[in-house]
Amino acid sequence: MLTRRTLMKGALVAGAYAGGVGLAGRFGGLAKAEAPVTLVARPGEAMITDKGPTKGVMTYGDAEIPPVLRMRRGEAFALRLDNRLDEPTTIHWHGLRIDNRMDGVPFLTQPYVYGGDGFDYAFTPPDAGTFWYHPHCNTLTQIGRGLAGLVVVEDPADPVFDAEIVLNLRDWRLGGDGQFIAQFKPRDAARAGTFGTVRTANWRQSPQYDAPAGGLVRLRLAATDVTRILALQMEGAEAAVIALDGNPAAERFALDHLMIGPGQRLDLVLRMPDTEGAVAALKDLRGTKPATLATFRAVGASLKRDARDLPPLTQNPLPEPDLSAAAEIPFVLSASAEERPKDGICGSLGYNFWAINKVPWADDTGDPTAPLAEMKAGRTYIFNVENPTPQVHPLHLHGLVFRPMNSNKQAIRPHFSDTYLILPDEKVQLALVADNPGDWVFHCHIIEHQKTGMTSYVRVV
């Protein structure tokens, strides 16, 4: 039977071959890797609390927690997604500037990957840094139940650290028995979002990691939660930010109540205490109940390293916006009073609470809205984003990077990013070069906001 599913699948496969399988384009379009990875999306259970195994978890791979996928900048990577869930899924490569066909958004860039089916992802990452991968289908449930893993793209020219620790920071919506409770509450979805009840790093509550005393640790962390915004502080040791959202910071700065939202990543250089057994703690100080996310214990004789001796990270080959020739595009975030959205195969929360430019799109049906903007490849644009709502929104743009500029509410550090945490009543300019053709989703990464309308996309032609 000829269905939308078979039509889209056939068209995308044909497009992939027309694009030249085995040819590495500027954004790593379908390049052939020497050893493809197989990643299985599957149901499972995990020891998240001391109440026994949490059932109904969703994960990737053989272990409880999804694996850290390691790649090298400029080298072809291939992965076969094997979907063993009882519902469709996809993989979005958050922060990676890759071919649009590999972006993992149902209907917009690829077909659903149904249960029992698979999909071949192939690309060459152009940038080194810390990224992550997650589904873009039934997103609140699938990410909320565990489908979120980190990506490390290595650059052999980067400085050598004494240790590296990767942290996947996320909450779980669990009851007192350690089992899942309702993922969201409509009244909370219309505000800041529904918070989890159990906070974890790498699926453990306040885990401890050993590292060489007096050594320099590269601490890679990603906020993969569906709701929570963090204000991070290191206690008991010195920690400085060396990269934000995958890109090296123009100047290192101390980690001091730095606020990050879902989708954002940080690379830190952690200078471990000199005394064996001394412990440093990564804490979230936001809200009324500060929490220790993870601790780091010094082991062995002190290496007596000095973070000031650490060379800078290698810069990524990012396009510099030409502000003298920039076109401006307005984006206004708002609440929505539209009708209830249609149900989709990827799941709907049943509400439209949010919108961009007064247009809500729940991105879970095969009938998306028109793009909010069409941009010419190679030109510079400035997104004039206004947030008149009382909530904070981590705004994520697929496939492209922007340079935040000229906020009326917060100091802007000179850096490139793919996710910007916009404050209530803030107006900010995001400057970018539209150098990656395709349809690219632009949405709030508080998933309840995304799934109730604060989603759209832009087109680069």
Short mmCIF file of all heavy atoms in Angstrom, two decimals, residues 35-40 60-62 65-72 77-81 91-94 96 121 123 125 129-134 148-154 164 166 168 220:
data_model
loop_
_atom_site.label_atom_id
_atom_site.label_comp_id
_atom_site.label_asym_id
_atom_site.label_seq_id
_atom_site.Cartn_x
_atom_site.Cartn_y
_atom_site.Cartn_z
N ALA A 35 33.85 1.72 10.40
CA ALA A 35 33.23 0.76 11.30
C ALA A 35 31.93 1.33 11.84
O ALA A 35 31.92 1.99 12.88
CB ALA A 35 34.17 0.42 12.45
N PRO A 36 30.81 1.10 11.15
CA PRO A 36 29.53 1.62 11.63
C PRO A 36 29.19 1.07 13.02
O PRO A 36 29.48 -0.07 13.35
CB PRO A 36 28.53 1.13 10.59
CG PRO A 36 29.35 0.87 9.36
CD PRO A 36 30.68 0.41 9.87
N VAL A 37 28.57 1.93 13.82
CA VAL A 37 28.13 1.57 15.17
C VAL A 37 26.66 1.17 15.10
O VAL A 37 25.88 1.77 14.36
CB VAL A 37 28.31 2.78 16.12
CG1 VAL A 37 27.74 2.47 17.50
CG2 VAL A 37 29.77 3.17 16.20
N THR A 38 26.26 0.16 15.85
CA THR A 38 24.85 -0.18 16.00
C THR A 38 24.39 0.26 17.37
O THR A 38 25.01 -0.08 18.38
CB THR A 38 24.61 -1.68 15.83
OG1 THR A 38 24.98 -2.08 14.51
CG2 THR A 38 23.13 -2.02 16.05
N LEU A 39 23.31 1.03 17.39
CA LEU A 39 22.76 1.53 18.65
C LEU A 39 21.31 1.08 18.75
O LEU A 39 20.48 1.42 17.90
CB LEU A 39 22.84 3.06 18.70
CG LEU A 39 22.51 3.72 20.04
CD1 LEU A 39 23.56 3.36 21.09
CD2 LEU A 39 22.42 5.23 19.89
N VAL A 40 21.01 0.31 19.77
CA VAL A 40 19.67 -0.25 19.96
C VAL A 40 18.90 0.62 20.94
O VAL A 40 19.35 0.86 22.07
CB VAL A 40 19.75 -1.69 20.48
CG1 VAL A 40 18.34 -2.24 20.76
CG2 VAL A 40 20.48 -2.59 19.50
N TYR A 60 19.46 3.40 25.37
CA TYR A 60 20.19 2.96 24.19
C TYR A 60 21.30 2.01 24.62
O TYR A 60 21.97 2.24 25.63
CB TYR A 60 20.85 4.15 23.48
CG TYR A 60 19.94 5.22 22.93
CD1 TYR A 60 19.86 6.46 23.55
CD2 TYR A 60 19.19 5.01 21.76
CE1 TYR A 60 19.07 7.48 23.02
CE2 TYR A 60 18.40 6.02 21.24
CZ TYR A 60 18.34 7.25 21.87
OH TYR A 60 17.55 8.26 21.35
N GLY A 61 21.53 0.96 23.84
CA GLY A 61 22.67 0.09 24.09
C GLY A 61 22.40 -0.98 25.12
O GLY A 61 21.27 -1.21 25.55
N ASP A 62 23.48 -1.65 25.56
CA ASP A 62 23.36 -2.81 26.43
C ASP A 62 23.33 -2.46 27.92
O ASP A 62 22.79 -3.21 28.72
CB ASP A 62 24.54 -3.77 26.18
CG ASP A 62 24.55 -4.29 24.75
OD1 ASP A 62 23.45 -4.46 24.17
OD2 ASP A 62 25.65 -4.51 24.21
N ILE A 65 22.61 3.04 31.28
CA ILE A 65 22.69 4.40 30.78
C ILE A 65 23.15 4.40 29.32
O ILE A 65 23.99 3.59 28.93
CB ILE A 65 23.64 5.24 31.66
CG1 ILE A 65 23.67 6.70 31.18
CG2 ILE A 65 25.04 4.64 31.70
CD1 ILE A 65 24.44 7.61 32.13
N PRO A 66 22.59 5.26 28.48
CA PRO A 66 23.05 5.34 27.10
C PRO A 66 24.54 5.61 27.02
O PRO A 66 25.10 6.36 27.84
CB PRO A 66 22.24 6.52 26.53
CG PRO A 66 21.00 6.54 27.34
CD PRO A 66 21.43 6.15 28.72
N PRO A 67 25.24 5.01 26.06
CA PRO A 67 26.69 5.16 25.99
C PRO A 67 27.10 6.56 25.55
O PRO A 67 26.34 7.27 24.88
CB PRO A 67 27.09 4.13 24.92
CG PRO A 67 25.88 4.03 24.04
CD PRO A 67 24.71 4.16 24.97
N VAL A 68 28.31 6.96 25.93
CA VAL A 68 28.93 8.16 25.39
C VAL A 68 29.47 7.80 24.01
O VAL A 68 30.32 6.91 23.88
CB VAL A 68 30.06 8.68 26.30
CG1 VAL A 68 30.76 9.88 25.65
CG2 VAL A 68 29.51 9.04 27.67
N LEU A 69 28.96 8.43 22.98
CA LEU A 69 29.42 8.17 21.61
C LEU A 69 30.61 9.07 21.32
O LEU A 69 30.52 10.29 21.46
CB LEU A 69 28.31 8.42 20.61
CG LEU A 69 27.07 7.53 20.75
CD1 LEU A 69 26.02 7.91 19.70
CD2 LEU A 69 27.43 6.05 20.65
N ARG A 70 31.72 8.48 20.92
CA ARG A 70 32.94 9.24 20.65
C ARG A 70 33.21 9.28 19.15
O ARG A 70 33.15 8.26 18.47
CB ARG A 70 34.13 8.66 21.41
CG ARG A 70 33.98 8.88 22.92
CD ARG A 70 35.23 8.52 23.70
NE ARG A 70 35.04 8.84 25.12
CZ ARG A 70 35.39 9.98 25.67
NH1 ARG A 70 35.96 10.92 24.94
NH2 ARG A 70 35.17 10.21 26.96
N MET A 71 33.50 10.48 18.68
CA MET A 71 33.81 10.71 17.27
C MET A 71 35.07 11.56 17.22
O MET A 71 35.57 12.04 18.24
CB MET A 71 32.65 11.45 16.59
CG MET A 71 31.28 10.87 16.83
SD MET A 71 29.96 11.94 16.18
CE MET A 71 28.53 11.09 16.86
N ARG A 72 35.57 11.75 15.99
CA ARG A 72 36.70 12.65 15.77
C ARG A 72 36.31 13.69 14.74
O ARG A 72 35.67 13.37 13.74
CB ARG A 72 37.94 11.89 15.30
CG ARG A 72 38.66 11.15 16.42
CD ARG A 72 40.08 10.86 16.03
NE ARG A 72 40.91 10.56 17.19
CZ ARG A 72 42.23 10.68 17.22
NH1 ARG A 72 42.86 11.12 16.15
NH2 ARG A 72 42.91 10.38 18.31
N PHE A 77 31.57 9.26 10.42
CA PHE A 77 30.93 8.48 11.48
C PHE A 77 29.63 7.90 10.93
O PHE A 77 28.89 8.59 10.23
CB PHE A 77 30.64 9.37 12.69
CG PHE A 77 29.88 8.67 13.80
CD1 PHE A 77 30.53 7.87 14.71
CD2 PHE A 77 28.50 8.82 13.91
CE1 PHE A 77 29.84 7.22 15.73
CE2 PHE A 77 27.79 8.18 14.93
CZ PHE A 77 28.47 7.38 15.83
N ALA A 78 29.36 6.65 11.23
CA ALA A 78 28.12 6.01 10.79
C ALA A 78 27.52 5.23 11.94
O ALA A 78 28.25 4.60 12.73
CB ALA A 78 28.38 5.10 9.60
N LEU A 79 26.20 5.28 12.03
CA LEU A 79 25.50 4.59 13.11
C LEU A 79 24.18 4.04 12.59
O LEU A 79 23.44 4.73 11.89
CB LEU A 79 25.26 5.54 14.28
CG LEU A 79 24.52 4.99 15.49
CD1 LEU A 79 25.12 5.55 16.79
CD2 LEU A 79 23.02 5.31 15.45
N ARG A 80 23.90 2.82 12.92
CA ARG A 80 22.63 2.17 12.61
C ARG A 80 21.75 2.18 13.85
O ARG A 80 22.09 1.58 14.88
CB ARG A 80 22.86 0.73 12.16
CG ARG A 80 21.60 -0.11 11.99
CD ARG A 80 20.82 0.30 10.76
NE ARG A 80 19.67 -0.59 10.52
CZ ARG A 80 18.82 -0.45 9.52
NH1 ARG A 80 19.01 0.52 8.64
NH2 ARG A 80 17.80 -1.26 9.35
N LEU A 81 20.63 2.92 13.80
CA LEU A 81 19.64 2.89 14.88
C LEU A 81 18.74 1.70 14.69
O LEU A 81 18.07 1.56 13.66
CB LEU A 81 18.83 4.18 14.89
CG LEU A 81 17.63 4.19 15.84
CD1 LEU A 81 18.06 4.05 17.30
CD2 LEU A 81 16.80 5.45 15.65
N ILE A 91 16.74 9.83 16.03
CA ILE A 91 17.85 10.43 16.78
C ILE A 91 18.14 11.80 16.21
O ILE A 91 18.36 11.95 15.00
CB ILE A 91 19.13 9.58 16.73
CG1 ILE A 91 18.94 8.25 17.45
CG2 ILE A 91 20.30 10.34 17.37
CD1 ILE A 91 20.16 7.34 17.43
N HIS A 92 18.12 12.81 17.09
CA HIS A 92 18.61 14.15 16.75
C HIS A 92 19.97 14.33 17.38
O HIS A 92 20.17 14.03 18.57
CB HIS A 92 17.64 15.22 17.26
CG HIS A 92 18.22 16.60 17.23
ND1 HIS A 92 18.71 17.18 16.08
CD2 HIS A 92 18.43 17.51 18.23
CE1 HIS A 92 19.17 18.39 16.35
NE2 HIS A 92 19.01 18.62 17.65
N TRP A 93 20.92 14.85 16.60
CA TRP A 93 22.30 15.05 17.06
C TRP A 93 22.44 16.51 17.49
O TRP A 93 22.82 17.38 16.71
CB TRP A 93 23.26 14.68 15.93
CG TRP A 93 22.99 13.30 15.44
CD1 TRP A 93 22.18 12.94 14.39
CD2 TRP A 93 23.49 12.07 15.99
NE1 TRP A 93 22.15 11.57 14.26
CE2 TRP A 93 22.94 11.01 15.23
CE3 TRP A 93 24.35 11.77 17.06
CZ2 TRP A 93 23.23 9.68 15.50
CZ3 TRP A 93 24.63 10.44 17.32
CH2 TRP A 93 24.08 9.42 16.55
N HIS A 94 22.15 16.76 18.75
CA HIS A 94 21.99 18.11 19.28
C HIS A 94 23.32 18.87 19.25
O HIS A 94 24.28 18.48 19.93
CB HIS A 94 21.46 18.02 20.71
CG HIS A 94 21.12 19.32 21.34
ND1 HIS A 94 19.83 19.67 21.70
CD2 HIS A 94 21.89 20.38 21.70
CE1 HIS A 94 19.84 20.86 22.26
NE2 HIS A 94 21.08 21.32 22.26
N LEU A 96 25.28 19.37 16.60
CA LEU A 96 26.16 19.02 15.50
C LEU A 96 25.67 19.65 14.19
O LEU A 96 24.50 19.51 13.82
CB LEU A 96 26.24 17.50 15.33
CG LEU A 96 26.99 16.76 16.44
CD1 LEU A 96 26.87 15.25 16.23
CD2 LEU A 96 28.46 17.17 16.48
N TYR A 121 22.34 6.52 10.06
CA TYR A 121 22.85 7.88 10.15
C TYR A 121 24.32 7.87 9.73
O TYR A 121 25.09 6.99 10.15
CB TYR A 121 22.72 8.41 11.58
CG TYR A 121 21.30 8.61 12.04
CD1 TYR A 121 20.63 7.61 12.74
CD2 TYR A 121 20.61 9.79 11.75
CE1 TYR A 121 19.31 7.79 13.16
CE2 TYR A 121 19.29 9.97 12.16
CZ TYR A 121 18.65 8.96 12.86
OH TYR A 121 17.35 9.13 13.27
N PHE A 123 27.52 10.82 8.86
CA PHE A 123 27.94 12.22 8.74
C PHE A 123 29.39 12.34 9.20
O PHE A 123 29.96 11.41 9.79
CB PHE A 123 27.05 13.14 9.57
CG PHE A 123 26.88 12.73 11.01
CD1 PHE A 123 27.83 13.09 11.97
CD2 PHE A 123 25.78 12.00 11.42
CE1 PHE A 123 27.69 12.72 13.29
CE2 PHE A 123 25.62 11.62 12.75
CZ PHE A 123 26.58 11.98 13.69
N PRO A 125 31.44 14.94 11.59
CA PRO A 125 31.30 16.11 12.46
C PRO A 125 32.36 17.16 12.14
O PRO A 125 33.56 16.86 12.18
CB PRO A 125 31.48 15.54 13.87
CG PRO A 125 32.23 14.25 13.67
CD PRO A 125 31.82 13.73 12.33
N GLY A 129 33.99 19.01 20.40
CA GLY A 129 33.31 19.52 21.58
C GLY A 129 32.39 18.50 22.20
O GLY A 129 32.43 17.31 21.89
N THR A 130 31.54 18.98 23.12
CA THR A 130 30.59 18.15 23.85
C THR A 130 29.19 18.41 23.30
O THR A 130 28.72 19.55 23.30
CB THR A 130 30.65 18.46 25.35
OG1 THR A 130 31.99 18.27 25.82
CG2 THR A 130 29.71 17.55 26.13
N PHE A 131 28.53 17.35 22.87
CA PHE A 131 27.20 17.43 22.28
C PHE A 131 26.35 16.31 22.90
O PHE A 131 26.78 15.63 23.83
CB PHE A 131 27.29 17.28 20.75
CG PHE A 131 28.27 18.24 20.11
CD1 PHE A 131 29.59 17.88 19.89
CD2 PHE A 131 27.87 19.53 19.76
CE1 PHE A 131 30.50 18.76 19.32
CE2 PHE A 131 28.77 20.43 19.19
CZ PHE A 131 30.09 20.04 18.97
N TRP A 132 25.14 16.13 22.41
CA TRP A 132 24.35 15.01 22.90
C TRP A 132 23.35 14.56 21.87
O TRP A 132 23.15 15.23 20.85
CB TRP A 132 23.70 15.31 24.25
CG TRP A 132 22.67 16.39 24.34
CD1 TRP A 132 22.83 17.71 24.06
CD2 TRP A 132 21.30 16.25 24.78
NE1 TRP A 132 21.67 18.41 24.31
CE2 TRP A 132 20.72 17.54 24.75
CE3 TRP A 132 20.53 15.18 25.21
CZ2 TRP A 132 19.38 17.76 25.12
CZ3 TRP A 132 19.21 15.40 25.59
CH2 TRP A 132 18.65 16.68 25.54
N TYR A 133 22.77 13.38 22.09
CA TYR A 133 21.81 12.80 21.14
C TYR A 133 20.55 12.38 21.88
O TYR A 133 20.60 11.93 23.03
CB TYR A 133 22.43 11.63 20.37
CG TYR A 133 22.85 10.44 21.21
CD1 TYR A 133 22.05 9.30 21.32
CD2 TYR A 133 24.07 10.43 21.89
CE1 TYR A 133 22.44 8.20 22.06
CE2 TYR A 133 24.47 9.35 22.64
CZ TYR A 133 23.65 8.22 22.72
OH TYR A 133 24.05 7.13 23.47
N HIS A 134 19.42 12.55 21.20
CA HIS A 134 18.13 12.23 21.81
C HIS A 134 17.08 12.11 20.72
O HIS A 134 17.30 12.56 19.59
CB HIS A 134 17.74 13.31 22.84
CG HIS A 134 17.54 14.68 22.26
ND1 HIS A 134 16.39 15.06 21.60
CD2 HIS A 134 18.34 15.77 22.24
CE1 HIS A 134 16.49 16.32 21.21
NE2 HIS A 134 17.67 16.78 21.57
N ALA A 148 18.63 9.73 26.24
CA ALA A 148 19.49 10.90 26.11
C ALA A 148 20.91 10.49 26.44
O ALA A 148 21.18 10.05 27.56
CB ALA A 148 19.03 12.04 27.03
N GLY A 149 21.81 10.62 25.46
CA GLY A 149 23.20 10.26 25.68
C GLY A 149 24.12 11.36 25.19
O GLY A 149 23.72 12.22 24.41
N LEU A 150 25.37 11.32 25.64
CA LEU A 150 26.32 12.36 25.28
C LEU A 150 27.18 11.96 24.09
O LEU A 150 27.44 10.77 23.87
CB LEU A 150 27.21 12.73 26.46
CG LEU A 150 26.66 13.85 27.35
CD1 LEU A 150 25.42 13.40 28.10
CD2 LEU A 150 27.71 14.36 28.31
N VAL A 151 27.59 12.97 23.35
CA VAL A 151 28.51 12.81 22.22
C VAL A 151 29.77 13.61 22.53
O VAL A 151 29.69 14.79 22.89
CB VAL A 151 27.89 13.32 20.91
CG1 VAL A 151 28.91 13.30 19.78
CG2 VAL A 151 26.66 12.50 20.53
N VAL A 152 30.91 12.99 22.40
CA VAL A 152 32.20 13.66 22.54
C VAL A 152 32.89 13.60 21.19
O VAL A 152 33.20 12.52 20.69
CB VAL A 152 33.07 12.99 23.62
CG1 VAL A 152 34.49 13.58 23.59
CG2 VAL A 152 32.46 13.18 25.00
N VAL A 153 33.10 14.77 20.59
CA VAL A 153 33.85 14.86 19.34
C VAL A 153 35.25 15.34 19.70
O VAL A 153 35.42 16.47 20.18
CB VAL A 153 33.18 15.80 18.33
CG1 VAL A 153 33.99 15.82 17.02
CG2 VAL A 153 31.74 15.37 18.05
N GLU A 154 36.22 14.49 19.49
CA GLU A 154 37.58 14.78 19.92
C GLU A 154 38.38 15.47 18.82
O GLU A 154 38.12 15.29 17.63
CB GLU A 154 38.28 13.48 20.33
CG GLU A 154 37.59 12.77 21.50
CD GLU A 154 38.16 11.40 21.78
OE1 GLU A 154 38.76 10.81 20.84
OE2 GLU A 154 38.02 10.91 22.91
N GLU A 164 39.39 12.68 32.37
CA GLU A 164 38.17 13.23 31.77
C GLU A 164 36.97 12.54 32.40
O GLU A 164 36.95 11.31 32.55
CB GLU A 164 38.15 13.00 30.26
CG GLU A 164 36.89 13.54 29.60
CD GLU A 164 36.86 13.32 28.09
OE1 GLU A 164 37.40 14.16 27.36
OE2 GLU A 164 36.31 12.27 27.65
N VAL A 166 32.66 12.58 32.18
CA VAL A 166 31.50 13.00 31.40
C VAL A 166 30.25 12.83 32.26
O VAL A 166 30.02 11.75 32.82
CB VAL A 166 31.38 12.17 30.11
CG1 VAL A 166 30.18 12.62 29.29
CG2 VAL A 166 32.66 12.28 29.28
N ASN A 168 26.06 13.24 32.54
CA ASN A 168 24.73 13.37 31.95
C ASN A 168 23.79 13.79 33.09
O ASN A 168 23.43 12.98 33.95
CB ASN A 168 24.32 12.01 31.35
CG ASN A 168 22.98 12.03 30.66
OD1 ASN A 168 22.14 12.86 30.93
ND2 ASN A 168 22.76 11.05 29.78
N ARG A 220 33.17 17.25 31.28
CA ARG A 220 32.18 17.51 30.23
C ARG A 220 30.80 17.23 30.80
O ARG A 220 30.55 16.12 31.31
CB ARG A 220 32.42 16.61 29.02
CG ARG A 220 33.76 16.77 28.32
CD ARG A 220 33.86 15.78 27.17
NE ARG A 220 35.12 15.77 26.47
CZ ARG A 220 35.36 16.41 25.33
NH1 ARG A 220 34.40 17.14 24.78
NH2 ARG A 220 36.54 16.33 24.74
#
